[in-house]
Structures are given as C-alpha cells and as structure tokens.
Amino acid sequence: MAEKKEKLFDQFPPISTAEWKAKVEADLKGAPFDKKLVWRTNEGFNVQPMYRLEDIEDLATTNSLPGEYPYLRGTRTDNNWLVRQEIIAETPAEANRIALDVLTKGVTSLGFKVQAPTAETVATLLHGIDTAKVEINFSCCLKKALPLAEALVAYVKENGTAETFKGSIDFNPFKKPLRKGATFAADELVKMAGELLDAVKDVRGLRVLAVDSDMLSNAGAYIYQELGYALACGADWMSLLTEAGRNASEVACRIKFNMGVSSNFFMELAKFRAARMLWAQIVAQYKPECECAAKMKAHATTSRFNQTLYDAHVNLLRSQTESMSAALAGVDSITVTPFDAPFKTPDEFSERIARNQQHLLKEESHLDKVIDPAGGSYYVETLTVAIAKEAWKLFLDVEEKGGFLACCNDGEVQKAVRESAEKRHTDVAKRKEILLGTNQYPNVNEMAADKIVELQGSVPCTCNGGNGCENEGGLPTKRASSDFEDLRLATEAAAKRPKVFMLTIGNLAMRLARAQFSGNFFGCAGYEIIDNLGFNSVEEGVDAALEKGADIVVLCSSDDEYAEYAPAAFKYLDGRAEFVVAGAPACMDDLKALGINDYVHVRCNVLETLRDFNNRLLNK
C-alpha cells in the first residue's frame, strides 16, 4: 500500500493581507499603522512593514535569469567576484613587492596609482604578475591616461596576454568639475577619449571610460542620486562618442562603473540590481552589435562617508555589511576600505583585515556559491523597482538639462549632492542617522588626537586642507562624523576635560533611563561622565556634584517630580555649575520662567547643543 503523504500547509488556511493588517492594527492598540510602521526613505518612497507575493506578481523584473538581458539578476552565471586591493606605495618597485605579496593572500584584482606613466614604470609595477589571471586597474592624472594606456598595451602585447587581459584605466574628465567646480569642454572630452579608445583597441578587456559614482556616495549623496547620476554619466559617454562616429558596442564595452556602497544593507543590494537593469536598457537604445555590450561592469568600494575616527573598529562592522550587500548583489569586484583610512594611511594590519573581510564572505559564508540569492524576495524585488523608478526620474531630468557633463559644468550635480550631504549631516546631528560610537554610545574615555596621521574627508582632498577642506563649487568632502569629531578633538585639546554629574533622584526607572540617556548625550563631546545610584535630596546630590568638581549637573528624574526637584536643585546650585534637566517635561515653561534653560531630550539637535556647551566650558 502506498504511503500517504500529509500536506502540512493544507492545515493552515490562507491569510489575506487585510487580515494580517487587521491583526497588526489590533496589536498596535489604536496607534495608526502608517505612522508607526511605514517609513519614508531618503530615496523618496515608502517602505511597508510586510510584503507578500501579491506585491511582486505584476513586476516584470522577476521574469529573467542570471546572465540574461536585462541582467537585473547578474551579468554572469556565477558569483565569483574579484577581491581587489589598492596598492599604496612610494615607488613602483615597492608597489610591485606589495602586489606580489598580497596576490599570495587571496587578492585577485589590483589597483595601482601611477605618477609617471612610462613603459619602465608599467614594467616595474607588473613584473612577475600574471596579467592573464589578475585584474589590473590604474588611476592617474587625466592627461597621463593616454601615455599610460600606450605603455600598458605595449606591455601586455609583449607578454602575449592581450586577448586575456582584464583591467581598467580610470579616465574620468567629469572629476574636474565634480571636485573643483571647474568646467570641462565636451569637444576636449571626445578628443581625449577617442585617442584613448584608439590606443587600447587591441586589448579588448581594458576598460578606460570611467563612471566614478563612488565620488558621489562618499560626498553624501543618497542612493537614488548615486545611481541616477551614474546612469547619466554613462549615457554621456555613449552619446558623445557615438555622435562622434564611434561604434556603440565599442564604447559600451569600454565603460566601467566604480560605485560606492553604504551601510543601508537592502537598499544597496537593490541599487546594484536596479543599476544593471537600467544600464542595459540605456545601452540597448544605441543598438549595439551584440547584446553583451549592455552588460554593466561594476566595481564596488565600501563607504568612506560613514567611517569614523572614534571607535574606529566599528568601521569594520560597517564595511562588512557593505561588502556583503555588494557581494549578494553580484558586482564584479569589491574593494573594502580599511578601517583606519579616516586618520592614517592604511597599514599592513588594516589592509589584511580588509582582505579577510571578503574572504569571510567567500570561504566561510559561501556567498560566491549562489547567484542572486535575493531574487524573488518580496522585499528586495519591491525595493529594486522603487529605487529604479526614483533613479530613472533623476536620469531623465539630467538628460532634459543637456546631460551629465552639462549639469556638472553648471554645478547642478554638485549642488544637489551638497544639499543631500547637508541634510545627512543634520540627521547625524539630530541622531536621525546613527553612527555607532560617534553620535550614539560613544566610548567616552577614548582619546584619538594622537593617532591622527592625516585626517582627511570622505574623498581624497585635492588641496591638503585636512578634515574640513571644501572645494568651492565642488563636491563636499566631510565625512558624516566630522562635526562630532571636531567637538571631541576640541575637548581633548582643552586644558580641562569637562565633568558631567548625574543627579539621580526620585522614580527609579526614570532616573536610571535618563541618566543613561544623558551620559550617552554628553559623551558624544568626550566629556567625563559621573553616574550615580541616587540621592535622597537634591541638596545631597548637588553637594556630591560640587565635591567631584562637576562642570555640568544633570537632574535625572520623572516628569512629574521635576516641578519639585528642578527649582530646588537650581536654586541650591546657585550658578556654581551648568544646570541641565534630562527630558522635556510638561512643566518646562514654568521652569524656564525660573531661569532653567537647558534640557536634553530625544528631539534635541545633539551637535548644536554640545557645541553650545563647548563654547561655555572650553573657553573659560
């Protein structure tokens, strides 16, 4: 007799979205569903708390396979991305030594910065490196790209690897207006790019037309902006060069996208999927000879914008999730920015850790063994389409204004990114955007001034102006944490480190919670925090604070008790230290009438509040 198989799912009736939502609303006990659980992204669309099959049933994006046009699910039928390391060295010989060493440690792609693009330099850099197996990438001054290309092509031809060579030269005329606010003429761009394309025509795997949207990401751009502008930049390469008589396939196959990746895990994963789909459709409009020309070549570099000076090892957590986003999204290669990059030239230790972060994803998590694991996810598929729509709107807007180069020359791109960066800095100041260890849960006893070798912004500084450097008219360079770091560095440099005393009294739960909040708040400026278990009277607490030499006394209690405790404590303190109330009690107006003007609570601009206290305490 055949064994009867039970169908377990038949025991559970289907549940509709309306039923799920009704259950959620019941659990919310009257709180509005949309206000409590639906959040608005910086990208301009809402994210729901739950997604179901019905959310993706009408999406055409779910119908393709990896390796198939429009390449949303990947341009390859594997996910074996390249592990790239940027080689930092004083001389070509030293760079070659480092490169040969890291190639024995799992690196499969190298990045070199070239000062003198001669045949001798190229030969020295690549000596002993199998250019048929290792991807080679170069960056150099714009005007040195052509001689570098000529030297490189001659080298690979001489070594018989012209057919198998894979790599890039970062030729990007858009950098000048983006970084410096200058202009670049379209005819000069076409002339220089044309000469470069002619020089590399015999090496099919050498990509020389760069789209460096990582510049925008590191300047503080939102995800949809990076993608929209990247597509516009790539489209400019296609339009300008095909109009000059170049073949569409030739141009498309020479373009390489160097993109940033931030810590918004699912959004970044969706960004790369959307990027491949949109780019394929853009290239298709130029009617290339082969469909493969529409494949995006994408390199991802983890963010510098969100790296921090204080609690710098948290940078490892950020870059790990970032590299994971890129890996799961199916990019071609990844560079993990070393955790110590904000304050020094990365050393052997930090570069080893950065390499190993990718090895963990491959050798222990096996992310290279599965292609597009996010495919079919209701959430990720919906995000992919939503990001694609917002990026496409921006792309069309740029096209209507004359293209990416025109918008760069007019300063529109820089202005838009600057506005986004300012908004993000404000969000960091208000803790709407969290940087662990900087504006939330700081290590108050950490000192960082002595470890700074070169403190630079989110993109390489062109005027050696340090952390606060800005090029007028160009992209902003400050990292998200820079303002808080300035506060803490000022505290370190002060003759006396301010002390903050928690005067805890009354309701046990509220005083503990508010003392923790206040310690975290003032710790962001590097002040010394003195916590307490509680006092029987405000006089006892004030006396203890003055005995400890407190510069700030923070009253921590419940809203109901502040009406009694705050006036008494303020009067007894009598100006011998700054007086702060933790919270925003209903009696605040009454307390302000007594001269109590300082309050710390969740709606505060943390940065501005701490700047005010720094001005009061450090300038005495």
Side-chain angles (χ1 to χ4, degrees):
M1 189 172 94
E3 182 181 351
K4 184 179 179 181
K5 293 184 178 180
E6 288 189 78
K7 295 183 178 180
L8 297 179
F9 284 104
D10 290 345
Q11 300 177 23
F12 301 95
I15 306 297
S16 69
T17 299
E19 289 174 296
W20 272 115
K21 189 169 181 179
K23 173 59 177 170
V24 173
E25 288 176 335
D27 290 344
L28 289 173
K29 298 178 180 179
F33 179 91
D34 289 342
K35 186 174 181 180
K36 273 290 189 181
L37 299 179
V38 177
W39 57 281
R40 184 78 173 173
T41 70
N42 291 321
E43 281 36 71
F45 56 86
N46 292 336
V47 172
Q48 299 294 324
M50 60 181 181
Y51 289 91
R52 291 164 55 85
L53 177 60
E54 64 201 56
D55 292 304
I56 68 167
E57 282 181 328
D58 297 329
L59 299 183
T61 55
T62 59
N63 298 330
S64 65
L65 294 173
E68 290 184 358
Y69 180 90
Y71 310 113
L72 177 140
R73 301 199 63 195
T75 59
R76 312 184 305 277
T77 54
D78 66 67
N79 193 28
N80 190 25
W81 74 88
L82 300 178
V83 177
R84 179 164 157 183
Q85 180 170 326
E86 309 303 322
I87 305 302
I88 303 173
E90 294 293 330
T91 65
E94 183 186 359
N96 175 257
R97 178 189 62 77
I98 295 172
L100 291 173
D101 178 57
V102 301
L103 287 175
T104 66
K105 298 173 179 177
V107 168
T108 49
S109 175
L110 297 169
F112 294 105
K113 187 170 184 178
V114 178
Q115 300 293 338
T118 64
E120 181 182 1
T121 297
V122 171
T124 301
L125 286 172
L126 301 182
H127 178 70
I129 297 174
D130 188 346
T131 53
K133 296 179 179 179
V134 180
E135 184 186 71
I136 307 295
N137 304 278
F138 292 97
S139 62
C140 65
C141 171
L142 192 65
K143 293 183 178 179
K144 295 179 180 178
L146 180 59
L148 173 59
E150 293 170 341
L152 179 59
V153 168
Y155 180 86
V156 297
K157 280 185 174 181
E158 184 179 338
N159 283 268
T161 57
E163 292 297 318
T164 53
F165 180 88
K166 302 292 181 186
S168 67
I169 294 175
D170 192 43
F171 174 72
N172 184 359
F174 303 99
K175 280 185 180 180
K176 184 176 180 180
L178 284 173
R179 281 188 179 168
K180 300 183 179 181
T183 59
F184 202 95
D187 56 351
E188 185 180 0
L189 180 151
V190 171
K191 177 178 180 295
M192 294 177 72
E195 293 172 343
L196 198 56
L197 292 176
D198 289 337
V200 302
K201 65 181 185 298
D202 295 329
V203 183
R204 291 190 302 170
L206 179 55
R207 295 189 176 239
V208 294
L209 306 177
V211 176
D212 294 323
S213 67
D214 56 339
M215 293 176 61
L216 307 176
S217 177
N218 283 329
Y222 290 126
I223 290 172
Y224 84 96
Q225 287 179 311
E226 183 196 359
L227 178 52
Y229 286 134
L231 296 171
C233 182
D236 256 23
W237 278 127
M238 294 296 298
S239 298
L240 291 169
L241 292 173
T242 55
E243 288 171 7
R246 294 282 171 175
N247 178 277
S249 291
E250 175 195 12
V251 178
C253 290
R254 297 295 182 180
I255 297 174
K256 184 169 185 177
F257 287 79
N258 299 303
M259 305 183 75
V261 51
S262 68
S263 297
N264 197 329
F265 182 80
F266 287 106
M267 297 278 278
E268 287 289 358
L269 197 165
K271 177 189 77 178
F272 288 107
R273 300 175 86 243
R276 288 192 297 265
M277 174 183 68
L278 296 177
W279 178 243
Q281 294 177 62
I282 289 172
V283 173
Q285 301 307 306
Y286 293 87
K287 298 182 171 31
E289 295 171 352
C290 65
E291 194 175 75
C292 63
K295 292 183 178 181
M296 171 183 275
K297 189 76 169 178
H299 173 69
T301 302
T302 62
S303 177
R304 286 177 178 265
F305 182 74
N306 63 17
Q307 284 194 316
T308 61
L309 167 63
Y310 288 90
D311 220 344
H313 287 94
V314 180
N315 293 332
L316 294 170
L317 303 180
R318 300 184 183 102
S319 58
Q320 191 68 55
T321 64
E322 291 164 2
S323 55
M324 188 174 175
S325 292
L328 291 173
V331 301
D332 297 286
S333 55
I334 301 173
T335 295
V336 173
T337 305
F339 75 91
D340 55 356
F343 53 89
K344 64 191 290 282
T345 299
D347 56 25
E348 187 175 346
F349 171 76
S350 62
E351 288 180 334
R352 177 172 67 85
I353 294 297
R355 289 193 302 271
N356 288 347
Q357 287 180 260
Q358 293 197 60
H359 297 333
L360 283 171
L361 297 181
K362 286 194 171 194
E363 305 303 329
E364 297 198 21
S365 301
H366 305 297
L367 299 190
D368 60 334
K369 303 299 190 293
V370 60
I371 308 167
D372 189 34
S377 160
Y378 306 154
Y379 180 43
V380 176
E381 293 288 3
T382 306
L383 280 185
T384 300
V385 172
I387 289 173
K389 287 180 178 178
E390 295 304 318
W392 192 252
K393 288 178 188 176
L394 179 58
F395 168 75
L396 293 178
D397 181 60
V398 172
E399 290 299 292
E400 288 177 4
K401 293 175 179 176
F404 187 71
L405 181 60
C407 287
C408 287
N409 284 340
D410 291 342
E412 291 217 12
V413 176
Q414 301 90 316
K415 180 176 180 290
V417 174
R418 188 176 294 277
E419 288 173 353
S420 296
E422 288 173 356
K423 173 65 165 57
R424 292 186 68 183
H425 277 278
T426 299
D427 287 346
V428 170
K430 294 180 177 180
R431 287 183 179 169
K432 291 182 179 179
E433 186 170 334
I434 299 300
L435 290 172
L436 191 65
T438 296
N439 69 345
Q440 189 74 288
Y441 306 122
N443 177 356
V444 296
N445 294 318
E446 179 184 7
M447 301 295 165
D450 290 343
K451 71 180 182 183
I452 299 172
V453 177
E454 180 184 355
L455 185 57
Q456 60 185 23
S458 59
V459 295
C461 175
T462 56
C463 65
N464 298 318
N467 190 39
C469 163
E470 298 288 343
N471 291 317
E472 186 177 353
L475 292 173
T477 62
K478 283 173 36 172
R479 290 174 291 106
S481 62
S482 295
D483 293 325
F484 277 96
E485 289 165 3
D486 289 342
L487 277 176
R488 290 195 65 170
L489 291 171
T491 300
E492 286 187 38
K496 177 180 179 292
R497 182 185 177 196
K499 294 181 179 182
V500 183
F501 187 93
M502 302 300 154
L503 200 169
T504 50
I505 190 171
N507 183 286
L508 179 62
M510 289 304 300
R511 77 191 190 199
L512 292 178
R514 282 180 160 155
Q516 184 180 43
F517 173 86
S518 302
N520 183 28
F521 190 105
F522 285 101
C524 293
Y527 296 170
E528 181 182 344
I529 307 300
I530 305 172
D531 205 353
N532 298 282
L533 297 177
F535 297 96
N536 295 318
S537 68
V538 293
E539 290 80 10
E540 179 186 350
V542 169
D543 288 340
L546 295 176
E547 184 180 344
K548 292 286 187 179
D551 299 283
I552 301 173
V553 176
V554 184
L555 182 64
C556 302
S557 189
S558 66
D559 285 3
D560 293 340
E561 293 169 300
Y562 278 141
E564 174 189 352
Y565 290 141
F570 181 67
K571 182 178 180 181
Y572 188 71
L573 185 60
D574 194 26
R576 290 176 286 178
E578 301 291 340
F579 183 71
V580 177
V581 173
C587 62
M588 185 186 293
D589 289 340
D590 295 333
L591 299 181
K592 286 184 176 179
L594 297 174
I596 302 173
N597 296 315
D598 291 314
Y599 303 83
V600 294
H601 48 81
V602 293
R603 294 188 298 277
C604 279
N605 184 315
V606 182
L607 179 65
E608 292 303 320
T609 302
L610 294 177
R611 278 176 172 167
D612 180 44
F613 278 104
N614 257 18
N615 289 333
R616 295 189 222 174
L617 300 174
L618 304 188
N619 296 327
K620 284 184 177 180

